Amino acid sequence: MPRRLNAHPAEVELLALAIGRDGDAPEGTRGHIAGCPTCARRGSVLEHLAGAIELEDTLHRESETTLPLPGSPRTAERRVRLAHLAADADAAQREAETLLEFARDPGADLARCVRDLAAAHGGRLALLYAAQRGAFAAAVPTRALALAEAIEAASDGPVPAAEGGVRPVPPALLRAEARLLASQALLNIGRLRHAREATIAARREFQTLGRDPFSGALCDYFEASVLCFEGAFARAERLLKASARIFADFAQDQWVGRAEAVLAQVLLQRGNPSRALVLYNAAIERFDPERDANTYSVCLLNRARCLARLGRIEASQQGFAQALQVARRHRLDALVFGVRLNLAELDLLRGDLERALVSYRAVAAKADAMGLEEDQIVTRLGAAECLGRLGRTGEMMDALREIGRIVAVTDLAGNPAWIELASRLDPGDVEVGLVSEVREHLAAARDGFVLPFRAARRA
């Protein structure tokens, strides 16, 4: 007679019965279940669980032995097409890099090279990528302007046929991107009116291609950048805030940072360096120092200028050094120039006149080589001021007369500060205080600051 269980059997014993392994359960377990409703329910649940496990195991074994279903022909074709598109894009990217390197040479036949590229399907894509390189406009603005003009001229040539069902880059898109590149180059050169006109023309070209909010935001951003330098701060701020919202909608954090950086510039130009510093700090965090080297180094440069205006000279110098390091590593010639000019101003601010004189003369020579019209004048005025403060008055007057010959062929000839200084050259009634004021006024005008001119001030 089987032994009667005095306690409920364990789960493992019930499971043994559920899967048919009665020998693994104590004698009398099945009889206990027959007379115990609680264990009967437990055994039923375990039996269902065992069945589910067995079914899953069976399906797994069957799936391992089943041959894979043949792929869809359309899926395979799509994969091949995407692979070709990716390869074409990579090839165009490499060709764009080659073109940008070629475009640095002032003696290169850039127009012919661009025309040849525009006649080929892949070449047009390379031109599009090259036009979208804003860092090139910061590095060598005069060459970037030449490239933009060559792309715009070539865009009206014959358009190649579609390849593999893919249409070539349309002429309007090439013209739009070329004009945005031109706008950035012209801004760096100092031709503000032409820079703004180029942005407006780019917006018109984009509109012929349809309503693309992101393209419109780009145009707003670049137009606002010019407006800042023209002193139209209220309108620039509206455009920047609108473009930042669209950039955020497209999850373009880097472009949001760019908009923040220009808004910081607006605050700086309005005489609020403390608030500008906060925005510059926020913008810098959005940039990758390598991938966004141009905008990153510009932010470092302008942040250092904020620090200088706040009287934090040592921190400012460290910021300029950091910006210079990034700009040199990425061959951003215009930014290297900007840092060196600001370092010369720091030398003058500290009273290190001999060093400031050497620095101003060096950056003046660089401004000549780079074709930076306004900087050619501002840097020479800095050197003249150093000569005057060193007591070398005769040399200062000679330098000012030489500057007059340069100013005569620029838009600055009508500037009231320069007119006042020029009127005193012949009688020789020029004191170093006036030179300093004129330099500050013209430098402010170059940067978008609106400063009153007070001719009565003297050293």
Side-chain angles (χ1 to χ4, degrees):
M1 184 175 183
R3 176 173 61 87
R4 188 175 186 274
L5 295 178
N6 294 321
H8 294 295
E11 297 286 341
V12 67
E13 295 166 350
L14 295 175
L15 181 60
L17 295 180
I19 62 177
R21 296 173 60 175
D22 290 30
D24 292 334
E27 189 178 358
T29 302
R30 193 173 290 281
H32 176 89
I33 294 173
C36 178
T38 299
C39 289
R41 285 195 302 273
R42 293 168 64 205
S44 177
V45 170
L46 290 170
E47 189 174 351
H48 285 301
L49 178 60
I53 293 172
E54 183 179 1
L55 177 61
E56 193 276 336
D57 184 62
T58 301
L59 291 173
H60 181 69
R61 290 197 303 271
E62 288 180 356
S63 66
E64 287 183 337
T65 58
T66 303
L67 293 174
L69 294 174
S72 165
R74 292 183 64 184
T75 300
E77 289 174 5
R78 190 181 303 116
R79 286 176 179 166
V80 170
R81 182 167 176 268
L82 289 174
H84 286 160
L85 288 174
D88 291 345
D90 288 343
Q93 196 74 260
R94 291 191 296 271
E95 200 158 21
E97 293 291 345
T98 301
L99 172 62
L100 292 174
E101 195 62 34
F102 179 73
R104 284 177 175 269
D105 181 5
D109 190 352
L110 191 55
R112 179 178 179 181
C113 178
V114 169
R115 279 197 306 272
D116 291 343
L117 286 171
H121 192 282
R124 293 177 80 86
L125 186 58
L127 291 178
L128 181 67
Y129 289 157
Q132 292 172 341
R133 293 296 180 85
F136 189 63
V140 278
T142 53
R143 299 309 300 154
L145 180 59
L147 176 61
E149 291 171 344
I151 293 175
E152 184 174 351
S155 67
D156 293 326
V159 179
E163 292 183 5
V166 179
R167 295 179 180 178
V169 177
L173 182 56
L174 275 181
R175 285 194 296 270
E177 294 289 357
R179 285 168 176 168
L180 283 185
L181 178 63
S183 176
Q184 296 169 75
L186 289 163
L187 178 59
N188 284 321
I189 292 169
R191 294 165 57 186
L192 302 183
R193 179 174 61 84
H194 294 100
R196 191 168 168 218
E197 288 173 353
T199 301
I200 294 169
R203 183 182 283 108
R204 286 198 298 266
E205 293 292 346
F206 279 126
Q207 288 171 347
T208 66
L209 298 167
R211 286 186 169 273
D212 176 17
F214 191 80
S215 296
L218 285 177
C219 293
D220 287 347
Y221 166 80
F222 286 116
E223 184 176 359
S225 299
V226 181
L227 288 170
C228 286
F229 284 87
E230 291 181 334
F233 302 125
R235 185 174 179 190
E237 189 171 352
R238 287 196 298 272
L239 289 175
L240 286 168
K241 289 180 177 177
S243 65
R245 285 193 294 270
I246 293 174
F247 293 150
D249 289 342
F250 280 82
Q252 293 292 316
D253 200 48
Q254 181 230 17
W255 281 100
V256 174
R258 287 187 173 195
E260 287 176 337
V262 182
L263 278 169
Q265 184 177 330
V266 170
L267 290 171
L268 179 62
Q269 292 174 333
R270 281 181 164 178
N272 196 335
S274 297
R275 286 184 60 199
L277 184 61
V278 173
L279 267 180
Y280 277 127
N281 287 337
I284 285 171
E285 292 299 316
R286 297 184 186 274
F287 300 129
D288 182 284
E290 297 302 316
R291 189 175 63 247
D292 308 317
N294 177 39
T295 47
Y296 180 69
S297 55
V298 168
C299 267
L300 291 175
L301 170 61
N302 287 327
R303 181 180 181 275
R305 293 178 64 196
C306 278
L307 290 167
R309 290 184 178 277
L310 291 168
R312 297 167 59 182
I313 302 302
E314 185 175 346
S316 174
Q317 190 163 9
Q318 291 173 354
F320 285 133
Q322 189 180 1
L324 184 61
Q325 183 182 33
V326 176
R328 279 179 171 164
R329 186 166 67 249
H330 292 274
R331 302 173 64 193
L332 303 174
D333 298 351
L335 286 176
V336 170
F337 172 84
V339 173
R340 292 177 64 192
L341 175 56
N342 278 276
L343 287 171
E345 291 174 359
L346 270 185
D347 290 335
L348 180 58
L349 186 62
R350 284 198 304 260
D352 192 345
L353 299 176
E354 291 286 359
R355 181 171 177 175
L357 177 60
V358 172
S359 297
Y360 270 121
R361 284 174 168 172
V363 289
K366 194 64 177 178
D368 293 345
M370 297 177 69
L372 304 177
E373 297 171 357
E374 293 179 339
D375 287 307
Q376 289 175 333
I377 297 163
V378 171
T379 52
R380 283 173 167 79
L381 281 171
E385 181 180 343
C386 290
L387 290 169
R389 296 195 181 280
L390 287 166
R392 296 157 64 175
T393 308
E395 292 178 69
M396 180 187 77
M397 293 301 299
D398 290 341
L400 291 174
R401 292 188 181 96
E402 178 61 30
I403 293 169
R405 286 189 281 273
I406 300 173
V407 173
V409 294
T410 70
D411 293 339
L412 292 178
N415 185 283
W418 175 256
I419 290 173
E420 173 67 21
L421 179 59
S423 69
R424 297 172 180 268
L425 286 178
D426 285 340
D429 180 23
V430 178
E431 297 180 359
V432 69
L434 177 60
V435 177
S436 179
E437 185 173 359
V438 171
R439 177 185 64 80
E440 291 176 5
H441 187 89
L442 296 186
R446 174 202 60 192
D447 291 340
F449 288 90
V450 180
L451 296 180
F453 177 64
R454 300 179 299 276
R457 193 178 79 180
R458 292 293 182 268

